[in-house]
Amino acid sequence: MSTVILLTLTGLGLAALYFLIASGLSLVFGLAGVLNFAHGLFLSIGAYATWWAAPRWGLAVAVPLGIAAGAATGALVEVVLIRPLYKRPTEQVLVTVGLSLAGVALLQSVWGADPRTYPRPAWASEVTTIGSAQVPDDRFLLIGTAVVVLLALLAFLHKTRYGLIIRAGVENRDMVSALGIDVRRAFTLVFTIGGALAGTAGVLGGMYFGSVSPGQGASLLIFAFIVVVIGGLGSVTGSAVAAVVVGLLQQFVNYYGTAGAGDVSVVVLLALVLLLRPSGLARTAATA
Amino acid sequence: MKRFVPLLVLVALLALPYSTLPVPGLFEGTLNSPGTLQMLAICLVFGGLALGYDLLFGRAGLLSFGHALYIAAGAYGTDILVSHAHWPLWAAVAATVPAVAVLAALLGAVALRTTGIAFAMVTLAFAQVGWIVVNRDPGGLTGGEEGLPLDSAGLPAALVGVANTVNLYWVALAFLLLVVVVVHGIDRAPLGRVLTGLRDDERRVSVLGLSAYRLKLGTFVLAGALAALGGAVHALIVGGASPHLASADLTLSLIVMAVLGGAGTRWGAVVGGVVYAYLDQRLTQIGGGLPGPLGQPLFILGTLFVLAVYFAPGGLTGVLKRRGRLA
Amino acid sequence: MILRLRDLSVRLGGSHILQGVTFDVPPAGVTALLGRNGVGKTTTLRAILGEVPASGAVEFGGEPVLGRPTHKLVRSGLGYVPEDRCVFGGLTVAENLRLAVRGPDPDYDTVHELFPELRARAGQRAGTLSGGQQQMVAIARVLLNRNRLLLVDEPTKGLAPAVVSSVAAVLARVAEHVPILLVEQNLAVVRRLAAGAVVLEAGRVAWTGTASDLLGDAGRTRTLLGVGRS
């Protein structure tokens, strides 16, 4: 029983990371139509910014700085690199591919390829006893953050004008322009939000894994892609549900099956979902 | 005149191992030194791999992010049969390539139910399984992160030892020529036109009464088989299979090669593959001497690639063509 | 003239869809843009809006607008009711309308007067509406704002006859205040609404004149539009 509780909470912690990455990817893809391979770079930059700043100014400053660094990278990439290429979707993907290769290499040249020990608040290293299970507190940090982010995103999408524009743009962005709305400003916004969420995931991932390395973003990114496809492109709620399914499945199968079986089972799940429901779990992407 | 350029290049490639010319700056040692020949052999293999990938990407318009899987399957399959099962090399290759084609058929059958970006993500996910399996070293078969050295006991004597590096060069050149013959043959056949038709407008092909799905699957399988053969040749040249072959980064670099050279053109992907592989190896050799990020080959290649997407659409061959027209 | 097209050309994916389209839209009443399927009517509207790359010249209210971003052009007073309505199915009716509001003073009174049903269905998701109700949403979106010209693409396509007639009635009322460039296959609707007519054939203007001259001549109607009696 204690194993099940621990596995569940660990799986949900992982799901929280996947959700933070996937929701941004999903919005960027849903609205702007960009499959963003540089998303893992946003994550790594956020993670390294916090890692760099924490010993200087403490976590209270370093964490917001990491999130802001992710957001700023997202905005900058959209404005400088992606914007000139709208209406050329393949070139956009290619640019994000090049950026992810060059960006990881850049991080490597500055901070080396080896993992660096990551700072974390003292209380996150403690454990809480639930039933008979000893659960590390960092799990709750991840899960709690993801829940807050999910609620905030849904409120933003449903209660604000920009949220309305994003939801409509995911369905049909040409029509949004034809209503007299500058939909590209919303593109910058989703890139910024996606960058901020990826930066958050980078910081939390660093705390969760205990270390940060230049390639960390890329390896998380692939599972986040799977979450996005399973959840339905453009759907935040779909991403949340899919992240939970993927995180739990991966943890449980990895524990009870052979090592690596959990990762494989996630891909099998993806294949099944695509065969049964090609548009993903969310019936329409528009429900956000 | 222009038609003879590929022929001249071929003659140069055939003559090259007999040349004792030193080319300072470009290569360390003379052209026929084993180090240079091995480097060139890797360039040729990547020329072939990139052209094989361009069959999917540039010709059929299928943005696969999982091509590394089939390259790795070819390399590891051959390596495992030779090093663990002690098969002769030719038998290992003859068994591996069709097996990988079957794998490509199975996975392609699922992946091709999706299109566009979803297809990219699904192929990426499938390839990721390959990467995970290779790294976990199931039953001690793949050697995990260390990779699996090729047991030279199972190889023909002519392919073993530094003195025989020139024969590896010939194998690599033969592989490149085979891919060129196959892909250019498809380009010339009616099938080639149908494929590009598929890329531009799938409905038009369906109107012709052809099954777009089957055509794409056939292309996917053929590209998978060529990749497997290339993987086997790569394992032969570098003396083993390494997990890098299965990584998403390898597929990404194939895309970079195809685009850098000029995707969908006759020679673009070959040129891109050779130039990329050369720069990657050469920059690694001299990387230690360069400051900061310039010491990272991927930083330079990634940046070059991004610049190429903006300023040289059509890639290197596109630029050369425009130059040629101006001159 | 509120809108002038001069030598408008569009190439898409290797095919030359519009090959120099030239016509004017007067500042009042309905001008019908007609022609067989696939002659480029919808493409003409989308080229005016800047949704497809085009060459030539488009003047809206005396200003050259080709190459201007779609949203700026629309904000300068060009309303668009697209083919197939293009309402946002995942948004509610109220959200669809709210999204379309451009200025500080949206004209909800007119919308609710013409389409009382939309007020009752404000909270319903637009994707669950009938075709006729979706068309109401699409038209209501342009009526919320002050426009100098409306581009309306096949507003009666796929609707039941009773609904066609009520949509036509609404457009007739709208046209009292703002000129409309109307793409329409239903010639009864054209006859009821349109003063002027422009007929496209294979990406070119084949005929311009009054709608009654066109529709009053059965032979001309047949050769230009490929229909017998209407």
Side-chain angles (χ1 to χ4, degrees):
Chain A
M1 188 59 207
S2 67
T3 316
V4 172
I5 293 174
L6 184 60
L7 282 175
T8 305
L9 286 167
T10 306
L12 288 176
L14 205 55
L17 281 185
Y18 292 158
F19 167 73
L20 289 173
I21 307 167
S23 52
L25 268 179
S26 191
L27 280 181
V28 163
F29 183 79
L31 180 69
V34 178
L35 178 61
N36 185 17
F37 274 86
H39 209 78
L41 181 65
F42 302 172
L43 183 152
S44 299
I45 286 179
Y48 272 103
T50 298
W51 172 83
W52 178 84
R56 290 170 175 78
W57 303 312
L59 279 175
V61 177
V63 171
L65 187 80
I67 297 170
T73 313
L76 195 71
V77 165
E78 197 277 335
V79 172
V80 176
L81 292 173
I82 304 290
R83 180 161 288 191
L85 294 176
Y86 279 114
K87 303 198 170 165
R88 289 161 66 189
T90 307
E91 274 92 340
Q92 283 177 336
V93 177
L94 297 179
V95 162
T96 67
V97 165
L99 196 62
S100 72
L101 294 176
V104 170
L106 184 65
L107 289 175
Q108 219 166 68
S109 74
V110 179
W111 285 299
D114 297 327
R116 302 294 191 114
T117 310
Y118 211 78
R120 45 153 68 182
W123 58 266
S125 309
E126 289 166 16
V127 292
T128 300
T129 308
I130 298 179
S132 53
Q134 304 270 312
V135 182
D137 281 348
D138 56 4
R139 272 41 162 196
F140 300 110
L141 175 65
L142 265 64
I143 298 167
T145 309
V147 169
V148 170
V149 165
L150 173 62
L151 295 178
L153 263 183
L154 288 179
F156 167 74
L157 286 171
H158 286 271
K159 303 290 179 208
T160 67
R161 175 150 180 95
Y162 264 108
L164 191 59
I165 292 172
I166 291 171
R167 282 192 295 144
V170 167
E171 274 192 57
N172 184 345
R173 57 185 164 159
D174 278 353
M175 194 57 224
V176 174
S177 302
L179 291 177
I181 296 162
D182 184 3
V183 79
R184 290 194 182 178
R185 234 188 290 168
F187 290 2
T188 316
L189 185 66
V190 290
F191 265 89
T192 311
I193 293 173
L197 297 182
T200 311
V203 172
L204 292 176
M207 291 179 178
Y208 175 73
F209 296 115
S211 65
V212 62
S213 61
Q216 205 157 26
S219 56
L220 281 168
L221 187 66
I222 289 177
F223 286 102
F225 273 143
I226 295 177
V227 166
V228 170
V229 176
I230 292 179
L233 300 164
S235 164
V236 169
T237 320
S239 289
V241 174
V244 168
V245 172
V246 166
L248 289 177
L249 182 73
Q250 204 177 9
Q251 276 302 311
F252 275 87
V253 178
N254 266 342
Y255 184 82
Y256 290 107
T258 59
D263 304 3
V264 175
S265 65
V266 168
V267 177
V268 173
L269 175 71
L270 170 74
L272 285 178
V273 168
L274 282 171
L275 287 175
L276 300 175
R277 301 184 64 157
S279 61
L281 282 183
R283 208 194 336 261
T284 57
T287 50
Chain B
M1 181 58 218
K2 239 172 83 184
R3 294 179 45 212
F4 296 111
V5 171
L7 210 61
L8 287 176
V9 172
L10 179 62
V11 169
L13 286 174
L14 289 171
L16 198 140
Y18 303 102
S19 161
T20 51
L21 200 69
V23 190
L26 286 182
F27 299 103
E28 293 176 355
T30 59
L31 278 179
N32 68 345
S33 68
T36 302
L37 282 176
Q38 192 195 28
M39 188 170 164
L40 286 170
I42 290 174
C43 292
L44 296 177
V45 170
F46 274 103
L49 287 173
L51 183 60
Y53 179 72
D54 201 41
L55 189 57
L56 291 179
F57 175 68
R59 281 150 173 96
L62 293 170
L63 185 56
S64 165
F65 273 101
H67 208 58
L69 178 64
Y70 309 102
I71 297 173
Y76 275 97
T78 307
D79 197 352
I80 287 169
L81 288 177
V82 168
S83 303
H84 287 299
H86 307 296
W87 287 29
L89 177 68
W90 65 268
V93 174
T96 301
V97 172
V100 175
V102 171
L103 178 72
L106 290 175
L107 298 182
V110 175
L112 285 167
R113 292 174 62 99
T114 61
T115 53
I117 297 300
F119 175 78
M121 291 194 187
V122 176
T123 49
L124 178 71
F126 284 158
Q128 191 63 10
V129 174
W131 193 78
I132 293 163
V133 169
V134 163
N135 274 290
R136 301 280 165 151
D137 193 15
L141 273 180
T142 64
E145 289 172 18
E146 308 290 312
L148 180 64
L150 192 60
D151 183 1
S152 57
L155 301 180
L159 295 178
V160 182
V162 178
N164 285 323
T165 306
V166 64
N167 291 333
L168 296 177
Y169 174 87
W170 294 129
V171 171
L173 184 57
F175 167 70
L176 173 59
L177 287 179
L178 174 75
V179 179
V180 167
V181 167
V182 169
V183 175
H184 286 182
I186 289 175
D187 281 349
R188 245 178 252 124
L191 178 63
R193 237 164 302 143
V194 176
L195 273 185
T196 44
L198 207 63
R199 177 190 63 194
D200 297 338
D201 186 356
E202 196 163 296
R203 277 163 306 175
R204 214 183 313 165
V205 174
S206 304
V207 169
L208 293 174
L210 298 159
S211 158
Y213 177 80
R214 274 193 216 162
L215 272 172
K216 286 194 280 188
L217 187 57
T219 312
F220 194 79
V221 171
L222 179 61
L226 291 176
L229 188 60
V233 173
H234 188 269
L236 205 56
I237 292 167
V238 301
S242 71
H244 174 70
L245 282 184
S247 68
D249 275 0
L250 186 81
T251 305
L252 297 188
S253 48
L254 288 174
I255 296 173
V256 174
M257 291 171 199
V259 173
L260 264 184
T265 59
R266 268 175 88 68
W267 298 104
V270 178
V271 173
V274 170
V275 169
Y276 182 101
Y278 170 77
L279 286 177
D280 191 21
Q281 297 177 83
R282 187 69 190 141
L283 291 173
T284 309
Q285 279 176 358
I286 58 178
L290 294 173
L294 294 178
Q296 299 280 341
L298 271 183
F299 177 76
I300 296 178
L301 287 167
T303 309
L304 267 182
F305 174 64
V306 171
L307 293 176
V309 171
Y310 287 101
F311 300 113
L316 284 175
T317 49
V319 172
L320 291 178
K321 216 171 261 172
R322 262 172 287 154
R323 275 281 150 73
R325 217 171 285 149
L326 288 176
Chain C
M1 292 296 145
I2 183 69
L3 185 75
R4 287 170 189 275
L5 270 56
R6 290 295 173 270
D7 205 22
L8 189 69
S9 290
V10 172
R11 285 171 193 277
L12 278 181
S15 42
H16 203 167
I17 298 174
L18 297 187
Q19 313 182 6
V21 169
T22 298
F23 66 85
D24 294 338
V25 177
V30 174
T31 306
L33 181 60
L34 306 170
R36 294 186 178 87
N37 279 325
V39 294
K41 294 166 297 196
T42 296
T43 305
T44 305
L45 298 192
R46 297 190 60 203
I48 294 169
L49 277 163
E51 286 189 351
V52 292
S55 61
V58 176
E59 266 182 26
F60 176 50
E63 281 177 60
V65 295
L66 208 59
R68 201 184 273 192
T70 304
H71 69 273
K72 285 195 179 153
L73 185 54
V74 170
R75 295 198 84 88
S76 71
L78 186 63
Y80 179 44
V81 181
E83 195 182 9
D84 300 323
R85 315 183 238 291
C86 293
V87 299
F88 300 102
L91 274 53
T92 64
V93 170
E95 285 176 328
N96 265 281
L97 297 182
R98 196 164 4 117
L99 188 67
V101 171
R102 301 202 298 256
D105 187 24
D107 189 1
Y108 275 105
D109 294 343
T110 305
V111 167
H112 288 145
E113 187 207 326
L114 287 173
F115 308 114
E117 216 180 331
L118 294 186
R119 178 177 254 170
R121 294 182 182 273
Q124 190 176 337
R125 286 208 0 215
T128 63
L129 296 174
S130 72
Q133 290 160 344
Q134 291 190 5
Q135 190 62 63
M136 291 179 197
V137 174
I139 296 174
R141 286 194 301 209
V142 297
L143 298 185
L144 287 168
N145 305 293
R146 234 172 245 284
N147 286 304
R148 292 185 287 160
L149 174 69
L150 300 183
L151 307 178
V152 181
D153 197 351
E154 301 218 24
T156 67
K157 186 174 155 192
L159 300 183
V163 186
V164 169
S165 136
S166 69
V167 166
V170 166
L171 289 176
R173 271 203 54 188
V174 172
E176 290 167 15
H177 307 287
V178 52
I180 299 179
L181 177 60
L182 174 73
V183 171
E184 180 58 71
Q185 296 280 14
N186 186 327
L187 294 185
V189 173
V190 174
R191 181 167 287 138
R192 176 166 167 193
L193 295 175
V198 177
V199 182
L200 295 185
E201 206 169 67
R204 288 203 173 91
V205 173
W207 191 87
T208 20
T210 67
S212 53
D213 276 353
L214 175 68
L215 301 176
D217 184 334
R220 186 176 281 157
T221 310
R222 189 163 47 241
T223 43
L224 288 172
L225 303 178
V227 289
R229 282 170 24 79
S230 67

